[in-house]
Amino acid sequence: MRIGVFFCSFIFVSMKIKEIISFLESWAPPSYQESYDNSGLICGDKNWDFKGLLCTLDCLEQTIEEAIEKDCNLIVAHHPIVFKGLKKINGKNYVERVVIKAIKNDIAIFAIHTNLDNVHNGVNSKIADRIGLQNQKVLIPKKTLLRKLEVYCPTEEADKVRTALFELGAGDFTNYSHCSFNLHGQGTFMPNDKASPHIGEKNVLHKGEEIKVELVFPAHLTSPIMHKLNEVHPYEEVAYQLLQMENEYQFVGSGMIGMLENEMTISSFFDLLKSQMNVSVIRHTKTVKEQVRKIALMGGSGSFGLAAAKAQGADVYLSADFKYHEFFDADNQIVIADIGHYESEAFTIELLSDRLKEKFPNFVVLLTEINTNPVNYY
């Protein structure tokens, strides 16, 4: 299988590596990665001039050699080559050899791993699209990723403040935007001699009509939103509260669940998987469901998502890396379909390619010849 992307710039286009990284991180924010992960710039300098990009599932020595051959100085990999801390870098294993080879040849390596798994239009949505799932929803939504801003504004200034924050993504929820709650009331304050009040007089109690504006937004937007708030708000000192929300963020999290367009037999579904995911072998539990339609899935190692799939009434749970005893956890309630780690994520390359071509239309996207799957079948 051809599993990478060669990304070659036209000569007359000048760009820094950080511009590509900025786009990728706006799509899959680093804060969405799991605590154990190591997504981000592994080695290299984001301020280097961009020459070419090689996109792959895994970064191996052959990957570095291919990047050199194709004059690429940026590799975007789904799996981080450095997952745990390196105490020495002397080439004793493939991880250290890859890092050494990349550094010697001025090649930057960027990983976009569980943060890309966790966005609603990321790895799991790509799998769901390939097998034709409709009404897709995140299987295990994350918590503590939302913030609520409560800010008090003079009535006549509230529209300006709201609009400025809307433009940065505050109040956006997939199919809805410009969401806010507004409560009218009366505010009071007394400026002292050192104040420079926008309205009111020094040492005089001021009473005025105000609006309390409430907006919810993803936590990773906190810094730009607070900067913009202080920039556009008329008061010398902005009165606000910033709250961490415990609500589940329905569009960020692990896995995906959805419905096939029509019910089908389990054998027909397995045939669909083989065709659409390009697999020849499916490890599965007893086919306790003769007809299936509701499908839950998770790319990569997803055994931890089985309980959620069962709780939500899925007929099949599609994932990878199930251990022997974990198959028993299906407990005759669901069919586990393990298609392999590499196989479940192989089309991540296509996902990255499509988004990069859409964002940077002046660059050519080509596929690599390297297959990085370490598992072989006889």
Side-chain angles (χ1 to χ4, degrees):
M1 180 186 293
R2 300 160 67 89
I3 54 85
V5 176
F6 169 55
F7 200 77
C8 179
S9 66
F10 293 119
I11 294 175
F12 58 85
V13 176
S14 176
M15 185 165 63
K16 300 289 186 182
I17 284 177
K18 64 183 178 182
E19 295 178 54
I20 295 171
I21 291 177
S22 177
F23 164 68
L24 292 172
E25 290 187 341
S26 68
W27 172 24
S31 60
Y32 289 175
Q33 69 178 302
E34 301 297 333
S35 59
Y36 58 80
D37 200 8
N38 191 36
S39 293
L41 189 61
I42 305 294
C43 66
D45 189 337
K46 66 181 180 180
N47 291 307
W48 283 344
D49 289 330
F50 171 75
K51 295 195 298 183
L53 185 154
L54 188 68
C55 179
T56 184
L57 201 64
D58 306 283
C59 188
L60 306 177
E61 291 174 84
Q62 304 97 302
T63 315
I64 304 295
E65 291 166 3
E66 185 177 23
I68 295 169
E69 177 186 340
K70 295 182 175 178
D71 198 28
C72 297
N73 66 339
L74 173 62
I75 293 173
V76 173
H78 183 47
H79 298 135
I81 181 62
V82 178
F83 213 82
K84 298 179 180 179
L86 295 178
K87 293 186 177 181
K88 298 178 181 179
I89 305 179
N90 53 34
K92 72 177 183 296
N93 57 46
Y94 83 96
V95 173
E96 294 177 9
R97 291 193 296 271
V98 167
V99 173
I100 291 171
K101 198 176 192 72
I103 292 173
K104 287 178 65 175
N105 290 277
D106 291 336
I107 294 173
I109 301 175
F110 180 84
I112 182 167
H113 188 209
T114 54
N115 47 330
L116 187 59
D117 290 334
N118 286 334
V119 291
H120 75 278
N121 55 352
V123 173
N124 294 304
S125 180
K126 181 65 177 179
I127 300 170
D129 287 343
R130 288 199 63 82
I131 63 176
L133 293 194
Q134 302 177 345
N135 303 318
Q136 298 176 21
K137 296 180 180 179
V138 172
L139 179 64
I140 309 174
K142 284 187 169 296
K143 297 182 179 181
T144 72
L145 289 180
L146 294 173
R147 300 290 182 270
K148 184 171 78 166
L149 173 64
E150 300 178 353
V151 59
Y152 300 85
C153 305
T155 302
E156 64 275 11
E157 302 281 354
D159 281 341
K160 181 181 74 172
V161 171
R162 273 193 301 265
T163 299
L165 301 184
F166 286 153
E167 289 175 354
L168 292 178
D172 282 6
F173 295 94
T174 304
N175 296 323
Y176 296 86
S177 64
H178 300 74
C179 301
S180 70
F181 182 77
N182 302 272
L183 184 66
H184 291 260
Q186 184 183 74
T188 66
F189 57 85
M190 181 186 292
N192 64 24
D193 289 330
K194 296 180 180 180
S196 300
H198 174 69
I199 54 176
E201 299 179 16
K202 295 181 179 181
N203 300 311
V204 176
L205 180 64
H206 176 81
K207 297 180 181 180
E209 295 301 312
E210 292 189 328
I211 295 179
K212 177 185 177 185
V213 180
E214 299 185 7
L215 302 129
V216 176
F217 54 86
H220 72 273
L221 296 178
T222 300
S223 181
I225 283 177
M226 295 309 298
H227 177 79
K228 178 60 70 173
L229 174 64
N230 283 283
E231 178 184 301
V232 301
H233 199 287
Y235 284 173
E236 183 180 19
E237 293 187 24
V238 182
Y240 70 90
Q241 291 189 88
L242 187 61
L243 308 173
Q244 176 177 293
M245 301 182 68
E246 294 298 321
N247 304 52
E248 291 182 340
Y249 191 5
Q250 297 296 325
F251 309 109
V252 176
S254 303
M256 196 69 63
I257 188 166
M259 305 290 287
L260 296 168
E261 183 176 2
N262 297 298
E263 191 175 62
M264 61 175 62
T265 64
I266 187 65
S267 60
S268 295
F269 179 71
F270 284 165
D271 288 339
L272 174 70
L273 282 184
K274 287 184 175 183
S275 172
Q276 291 301 106
M277 300 303 295
N278 197 21
V279 297
S280 57
V281 176
I282 300 174
R283 299 167 66 223
H284 64 87
T285 53
K286 186 189 304 181
T287 54
V288 293
K289 306 269 187 172
E290 293 184 3
Q291 299 286 323
V292 299
R293 189 176 183 191
K294 193 171 190 179
I295 312 298
L297 59 88
M298 190 179 299
S301 301
S303 59
F304 68 92
L306 177 62
K310 289 165 62 178
Q312 297 182 47
D315 299 313
V316 177
Y317 182 51
L318 165 65
S319 192
D321 296 344
F322 272 83
K323 297 179 181 179
Y324 174 82
H325 290 285
E326 291 173 331
F327 280 96
F328 288 110
D329 293 333
D331 201 21
N332 293 323
Q333 300 173 46
I334 193 171
V335 177
I336 296 173
D338 185 328
I339 65 172
H341 193 126
Y342 173 87
E343 290 80 2
S344 71
E345 296 182 327
F347 292 98
T348 301
I349 306 304
E350 187 178 291
L351 171 70
L352 286 166
S353 171
D354 290 345
R355 290 301 297 267
L356 288 166
K357 285 190 293 185
E358 179 184 345
K359 178 62 179 180
F360 303 104
N362 291 327
F363 293 82
V364 177
V365 179
L366 302 173
L367 296 180
T368 188
E369 300 296 329
I370 296 176
N371 184 322
T372 62
N373 191 358
V375 179
N376 292 275
Y377 303 96
Y378 182 73

